[in-house]
């Protein structure tokens, strides 16, 4: 690819071509190392991705989630664990307001509300936003960070769980988060880590190359720079896991290696279907920052 004005270092620097996916490629800025999809999908294509099918996808390796609702117990456990850890950093003075960006069906909001947060959400999918309102009765607005009209300096904590990589302009999104946070408010996000072991081992077949859903790919250095340029003081960047159903793990292992095919039968045992494990495959970064 020829010159491109990089979102992060703002230079028209040549890029290194990494991988080809049909008509699109993943490129890396030679100056700052930011990886991005090229060409980027337009607003209409992006908007069409996030309908009800996104959360019940028949091809989740390429698009969306296989059964997002069926995974509710594991998602809730994962969000509860994150929030518990974050709460130790954030001043306990009540009432505390939280905004979850890309809140999907609102499980993270439900968990936050159970822990005493005054929680609101923003969600691109009209279907998911309506479901979250219906089930939890919380303030969930359909739209993007730029379209929702919360007043400046409203929130103590803004979370973006696996969202930043989906956004057409992650820098503008973080600038908006900065505006919506109170002085000394906190930002917490998760995003795939290109420097993680899984990416190094799997290369082009990395599970996070969901094209054209994921538009930007970060590592600890590029996310640190993006936060600083958006007015944040990064506090920690570390590897983060999630709770995964044992049955799901067995199914994926059976798919990965024919020798492990007998595990597929184990995955159907009712007792195993209810078990989950906290798995940290060093694939995801948990980033915490404070409004500077
Ligand atoms: Zn760059």
């Amino acid at each position: 690819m020829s010159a491109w004005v990089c979102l992060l270092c703002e230079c028209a620097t040549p890029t290194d071509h990494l991988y080809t996916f049909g008509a699109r490629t993943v490129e890396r800025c030679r100056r700052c190392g930011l990886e991005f999809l090229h060409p980027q999908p337009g607003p209409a294509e992006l908007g069409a991705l996030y309908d009800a099918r996104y959360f019940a996808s028949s091809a989740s390796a390429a698009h969306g989630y296989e059964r997002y609702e069926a995974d509710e117990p594991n998602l809730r456990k994962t969000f509860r664990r994150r929030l518990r850890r974050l709460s130790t950093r954030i001043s306990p003075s009540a009432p505390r307001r939280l905004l979850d960006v890309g809140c999907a069906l609102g499980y993270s909001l439900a968990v936050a509300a159970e822990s005493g947060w005054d929680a609101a959400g923003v969600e691109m999918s009209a279907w998911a936003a309506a479901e979250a309102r219906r089930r939890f009765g919380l303030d969930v607005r359909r739209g993007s960070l730029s379209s929702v009209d919360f007043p400046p300096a409203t929130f103590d904590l803004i979370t973006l769980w696996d969202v930043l990589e989906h956004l057409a302009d992650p820098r503008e999104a973080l600038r908006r988060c900065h505006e919506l946070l109170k002085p000394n408010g906190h930002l917490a996000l998760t995003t795939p880590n290109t420097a993680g072991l899984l990416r190094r081992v799997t290369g082009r077949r990395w599970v996070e190359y969901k094209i054209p859903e994921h538009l930007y790919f970060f590592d600890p250095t590029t996310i640190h720079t993006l936060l600083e340029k958006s007015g944040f003081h990064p506090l920690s960047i570390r590897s983060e896991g999630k709770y995964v159903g044992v049955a799901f793990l067995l199914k994926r292992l059976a798919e990965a290696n024919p020798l492990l095919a007998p595990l597929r039968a184990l995955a159907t045992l009712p007792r195993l279907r209810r078990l989950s494990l906290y798995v940290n495959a060093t694939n995801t970064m948990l980033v915490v920052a404070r409004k500077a």
Side-chain angles (χ1 to χ4, degrees), residues 6-11 13 29-34:
C6 175
L7 176 96
L8 192 57
C9 65
E10 298 161 75
C11 281
T13 318
C29 173
R30 277 189 200 162
R31 187 156 187 257
C32 73
L34 180 70

Side-chain angles (χ1 to χ4, degrees), residues 107-269:
Y107 302 149
S108 61
L109 294 176
V111 164
E114 285 162 14
S115 311
W117 287 87
D118 178 1
V122 183
E123 171 55 43
M124 275 295 288
S125 160
W127 175 82
E131 276 295 294
R133 281 194 298 272
R134 185 185 64 79
R135 267 201 68 193
F136 304 114
L138 294 164
D139 178 4
V140 175
R141 305 185 188 185
R142 197 252 153 166
S144 67
L145 266 170
S146 54
S147 71
V148 291
D149 59 353
F150 293 107
T154 296
F155 297 100
D156 300 277
L157 172 63
I158 297 181
T159 55
L160 300 97
W161 303 136
D162 303 326
V163 167
L164 201 64
E165 62 277 13
H166 294 252
L167 302 180
D169 191 342
R171 195 162 168 182
E172 168 56 23
L174 292 188
R175 187 206 61 75
R176 177 74 171 136
C177 288
H178 188 273
E179 181 178 70
L180 292 175
L181 280 169
K182 293 177 187 172
N184 291 315
H186 285 73
L187 177 83
L189 65 89
T190 50
T191 193
N193 182 2
T194 59
L197 183 65
L198 206 57
R199 152 68 188 278
R200 287 169 193 266
V201 172
T202 56
R204 186 190 176 278
R205 295 184 61 203
W206 191 33
V207 293
E208 305 297 348
Y209 285 138
K210 288 181 129 183
I211 311 298
E213 207 175 295
H214 288 178
L215 310 179
Y216 288 93
F217 306 92
F218 302 94
D219 66 13
T221 305
T222 52
I223 196 75
H224 191 280
T225 308
L226 179 68
L227 285 163
E228 284 193 324
K229 290 201 168 197
S230 311
F232 287 96
H233 176 58
L235 299 175
S236 74
I237 300 173
R238 60 180 171 74
S239 181
E240 173 75 354
K242 62 179 176 183
Y243 285 94
V244 179
V246 170
F248 175 83
L249 277 180
L250 292 173
K251 193 172 147 237
R252 278 290 150 95
L253 285 170
E255 285 166 2
N257 188 332
L259 291 174
L260 301 175
L263 292 177
R264 202 184 291 269
L266 266 182
T268 61
L269 293 175

Side-chain angles (χ1 to χ4, degrees), residues 62-128:
H63 173 232
Y65 292 89
E66 187 175 326
R67 290 173 69 217
Y68 192 86
E69 289 173 273
D71 206 29
E72 179 176 347
N74 293 320
L75 289 161
R76 278 180 176 255
K77 276 168 88 171
T78 301
F79 293 136
R80 198 171 292 122
R81 179 193 163 107
R82 280 185 202 159
L83 198 59
R84 206 168 42 228
R85 295 178 149 208
L86 283 170
S87 294
T88 61
R89 285 185 175 274
I90 299 164
S91 115
S93 61
R96 298 174 298 167
R97 293 205 69 189
L98 176 151
L99 178 68
D100 187 33
V101 180
C103 68
L105 292 163
Y107 302 149
S108 61
L109 294 176
V111 164
E114 285 162 14
S115 311
W117 287 87
D118 178 1
V122 183
E123 171 55 43
M124 275 295 288
S125 160
W127 175 82

